[in-house]
């Protein structure tokens, strides 16, 4: 039998070892965990914020989508995630185009848009049937397409980006604003172009002020309009303000009362946004939305002005993949031919 003193010494030694072990864990293991987190935080993929860009891929216009994506991807180091929205019939084509071209390196998700959500909400307009295509209304449903993001960029397909998309993404939205747009009156350099092609830049060009429902809004006809072909959107505010429901309400009212579809401004996608966002949107730097390039086959901007522009938009009938059109060289710089051969550029010598 061990002497009592020896037993006590052993117990004391065990106690000391236990205390040392606890202290060691506290001193060493917690910092190790912190260092592990620090390594994760410092990894580029973790640090770099994802920039979601929503763009549509419509039948007959996929070359536009590809050129837009190509221009964005080539001019930024940012971590861009493209949400490419199409109809069920067009999705295989755009996926194959991307995966079999130099765009195969991009991060993208293909999203199918169900046109049934528009049933009963669109009034037929024979003057501009192309404006009634279902994908024109994708911008109304941004929270349904990009559910995990706080901030989203939406772009029309008939654009190219010459600047760093990070700069557009960093656009500040005022508290309570669900979106930012470019005002149609904000860039003196475009005013001559607007006058020369007869483009409207006030609410009078989009809403039918002969209708009581429009007059009841209390919006002056001379109020400057904005173009929703480039949007920076706050999804939290969008959902909180039920923007999609508001837009659908004004689509429905137009079906019943014909409030704007036959007016000059062109269709039923812009007008509801002008109503819902009136006085409640932030401003995008005007150089991030140089537009009206598709409103005339003759009216041109100066080359110097176009070189300084961050984003070019061929809104209007005259698209750069068709003929005639203006400044097609700037667009074609970013075009990637269709590996399947289905989409072809229309040129005077083709």
């Amino acid at each position: 039998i061990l002497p009592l003193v020896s037993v006590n010494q052993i117990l004391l030694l065990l106690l000391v070892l236990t205390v040392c072990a606890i202290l060691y864990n506290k001193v060493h293991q917690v910092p190790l965990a912190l260092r592990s987190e620090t390594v994760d935080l410092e990894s580029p993929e973790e640090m770099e914020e994802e920039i979601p860009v929503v763009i549509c891929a419509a039948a007959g216009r996929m070359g536009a989508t590809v050129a837009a994506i190509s221009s964005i991807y080539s001019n930024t180091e940012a971590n861009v995630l493209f949400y490419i929205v199409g109809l069920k019939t067009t999705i295989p084509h755009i996926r194959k185009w991307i995966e079999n071209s130099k765009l195969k390196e991009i991060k993208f998700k293909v999203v199918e848009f169900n046109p049934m959500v528009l049933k009963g909400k669109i009034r037929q307009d024979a003057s501009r049937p192309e404006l009634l295509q279902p994908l024109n209304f994708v911008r109304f449903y941004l929270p349904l397409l990009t559910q995990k993001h706080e901030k989203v960029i939406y772009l029309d397909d008939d654009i190219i980006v010459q600047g760093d998309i990070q700069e557009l993404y960093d656009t500040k939205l005022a508290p309570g604003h669900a979106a930012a747009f470019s005002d149609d009156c904000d860039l003196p350099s475009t005013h001559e172009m607007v006058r020369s092609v007869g483009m409207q830049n006030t609410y009078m060009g989009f809403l039918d002020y002969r209708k009581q429902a429009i007059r009841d809004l209390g919006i002056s006809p001379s109020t400057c309009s904005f173009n929703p072909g480039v949007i920076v959107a706050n999804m939290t505010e969008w959902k909180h303000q039920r923007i999609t429901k508001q837009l659908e309400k004004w689509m429905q009212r137009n079906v019943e009362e014909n409030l704007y579809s036959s007016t000059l401004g062109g269709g039923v996608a812009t007008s509801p946004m002008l109503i819902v966002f009136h006085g409640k949107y932030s401003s995008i730097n005007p150089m991030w939305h140089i537009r009206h390039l598709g409103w005339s086959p003759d009216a041109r901007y100066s080359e110097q002005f176009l070189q300084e522009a961050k984003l070019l938009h061929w809104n209007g009938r005259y698209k750069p993949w068709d003929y005639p059109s203006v400044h097609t060289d700037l667009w074609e710089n970013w075009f990637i031919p269709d590996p399947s051969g289905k989409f072809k550029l229309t040129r005077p010598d083709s």
Side-chain angles (χ1 to χ4, degrees), residues 213 248-260:
E248 287 184 326
K249 181 191 86 171
W250 283 102
M251 292 170 74
Q252 192 72 51
R253 288 199 66 175
N254 182 57
V255 170
E256 297 161 0
E257 303 174 50
N258 193 21
L259 301 177
Y260 41 74

Side-chain angles (χ1 to χ4, degrees), residues 90-311:
T90 61
I91 283 174
H93 186 186
I94 193 69
R95 186 187 293 278
K96 184 176 178 182
W97 197 332
I98 290 170
E99 292 175 348
N100 290 278
S101 72
K102 64 182 182 182
L103 291 181
K104 61 179 178 287
E105 303 296 329
I106 71 169
K107 288 171 60 178
F108 74 101
K109 293 182 180 179
V110 176
V111 182
E112 180 183 341
F113 183 69
N114 185 353
M116 288 305 292
V117 300
L118 303 173
K119 189 174 181 181
K121 300 184 182 77
I122 301 177
R123 186 185 185 92
Q124 296 304 309
D125 185 356
S127 63
R128 297 288 302 277
E130 75 276 12
L131 295 172
L132 300 177
Q133 296 301 318
L135 294 180
N136 280 337
F137 302 93
V138 161
R139 70 198 91 186
F140 288 17
Y141 298 94
L142 293 178
L144 301 179
L145 303 168
T146 59
Q147 295 181 7
K148 67 173 185 172
H149 302 284
E150 166 71 11
K151 198 174 186 182
V152 172
I153 293 173
Y154 168 86
L155 299 174
D156 277 354
D157 60 0
D158 50 356
I159 63 102
I160 61 159
V161 171
Q162 301 185 136
D164 186 340
I165 199 73
Q166 180 76 54
E167 188 181 323
L168 179 61
Y169 184 74
D170 290 342
T171 298
K172 295 285 189 291
L173 274 68
H177 285 178
F181 308 96
S182 286
D183 286 318
D184 283 331
C185 312
D186 61 6
L187 196 59
S189 306
T190 66
H191 293 171
E192 186 178 340
M193 171 75 87
V194 168
R195 285 193 296 271
S196 67
V197 301
M199 176 69 183
Q200 290 291 318
N201 62 2
T202 66
Y203 274 56
M204 175 65 87
F206 294 87
L207 307 179
D208 189 347
Y209 277 84
R210 296 170 298 180
K211 300 296 172 66
Q212 188 62 44
I214 297 300
R215 294 199 299 273
D216 287 346
L217 290 169
I219 301 173
S220 168
S222 62
T223 300
C224 184
S225 55
F226 58 82
N227 184 299
V230 176
I231 308 172
V232 181
N234 179 314
M235 292 295 92
T236 301
E237 280 296 335
W238 192 292
K239 287 182 277 193
H240 175 68
Q241 297 178 32
R242 298 169 60 85
I243 296 293
T244 297
K245 289 293 183 188
Q246 291 188 59
L247 292 167
E248 287 184 326
K249 181 191 86 171
W250 283 102
M251 292 170 74
Q252 192 72 51
R253 288 199 66 175
N254 182 57
V255 170
E256 297 161 0
E257 303 174 50
N258 193 21
L259 301 177
Y260 41 74
S261 57
S262 61
T263 54
L264 180 61
V268 292
T270 297
S271 299
M273 299 198 87
L274 291 177
I275 294 171
V276 170
F277 284 102
H278 174 253
K280 295 186 293 185
Y281 65 91
S282 298
S283 293
I284 290 172
N285 180 332
M287 294 305 287
W288 267 100
H289 196 176
I290 302 304
R291 45 209 181 275
H292 314 316
L293 276 74
W295 274 85
S296 166
D298 304 311
R300 302 176 67 89
Y301 287 115
S302 76
E303 292 302 322
Q304 181 183 352
F305 177 68
L306 293 179
Q307 291 301 322
E308 295 170 357
K310 305 285 190 177
L311 181 149

Side-chain angles (χ1 to χ4, degrees), residues 39-54:
V39 169
D40 286 341
L41 287 172
E42 287 177 353
S43 77
E45 288 189 7
E46 291 295 324
M47 284 294 287
E48 203 172 21
E49 187 174 9
E50 204 167 56
I51 298 179
V53 175
V54 177

